[in-house]
Amino acid sequence: MSHPTTRVLAVLEILQSQAQIGGAELAERVGVDRRTLRRYIATLEEMGIPITTEQGRYGGYRLVPGFKLPPMMFTDEEAQALSLGLIAARGLGLADAAPAIESVQAKLDRVLPGAPRKTIAALRESVALQTGDARASADAKLLRVLSESAQSRRSASLRYRAADGSLTSRDFDTYGLVFRTGRWYVVGHCHLRKGLRTLRLDRVAHAEVGPKPFSRPEGFDASDYLSRALATLPRATPVEVLLRTDPGSARRELLHTLGVTQPCEGGVLLRGSADELEWYARELMRLPFPFEVRSPPELRSMVAALARRLAQEHGEPPAGAGPERPAPAPKACRRT
């Protein structure tokens, strides 16, 4: 039992099996000195295990009478991680997850020692996580089935509903699942389309794991692939913008739907496409660093027009303009 955690758990097991045990005997059985044993006892007390210490010739350590060790033990940090996970799970758009989340929360409240339970209660009452409001609900069972497909490296048989409502059957090698912008996506190799595809989970009508094995490409990143797939969707107008910043700042500030970036002389080059140039211009104008629209000219004109509009609404009056007239006093509202 060379690992400290193993020894701490061994101390707990011995205390559970005996009404009381002397410190010297306990230290000998665990294989540590008395000073180290006292540190292990302190560790157990920090975890919420009530231990009494009696001094003297017949003294020793024992658990508080009537104490029943819960089936799960967590530190404050572990309880915090669990609680934040449950809070986040509420915003992931899984249709049948709410009852399960509440059930898990109730079980934790029942079995956790006092300190971690207080941590969870405090977080539940005071923390809100913006995971992105779910735009479409997804079946939690489908998520479990496709996760099993990805983990076991066995193809899944899918029934998939397209945007026009038509259903197709396909075998799908699941490489990963990603929650992004309020929706769940499954990424992998589609045997029907014979290539990498991204499918929306809310459009999967049925899925089951089959016996056929597959191999996932080494180092494949489903989240990165989804970002590039969404950024390069074909839209009406190609866009190219030079961002006067570094790659890290660009990644932090840009929506993935704006396009893909690459370092270049003078900053970062953003290439994308847009159906609505005014929306694209507004997204560029919220950036905290300078940029230069290289194409199309219509986007450059749109940015300039929005800038003039803001200047007129919030800027100083033009040079040479007379003093502004005071606004008329508001008329009193007539009661009806």
Side-chain angles (χ1 to χ4, degrees), residues 21 50 96 123 126 298 301:
I21 184 171
D96 55 351
L123 288 169
S126 59
E298 294 82 3
S301 299

Side-chain angles (χ1 to χ4, degrees), residues 85-100:
L86 290 173
I87 294 170
R90 290 181 172 90
L92 296 182
L94 298 174
D96 55 351

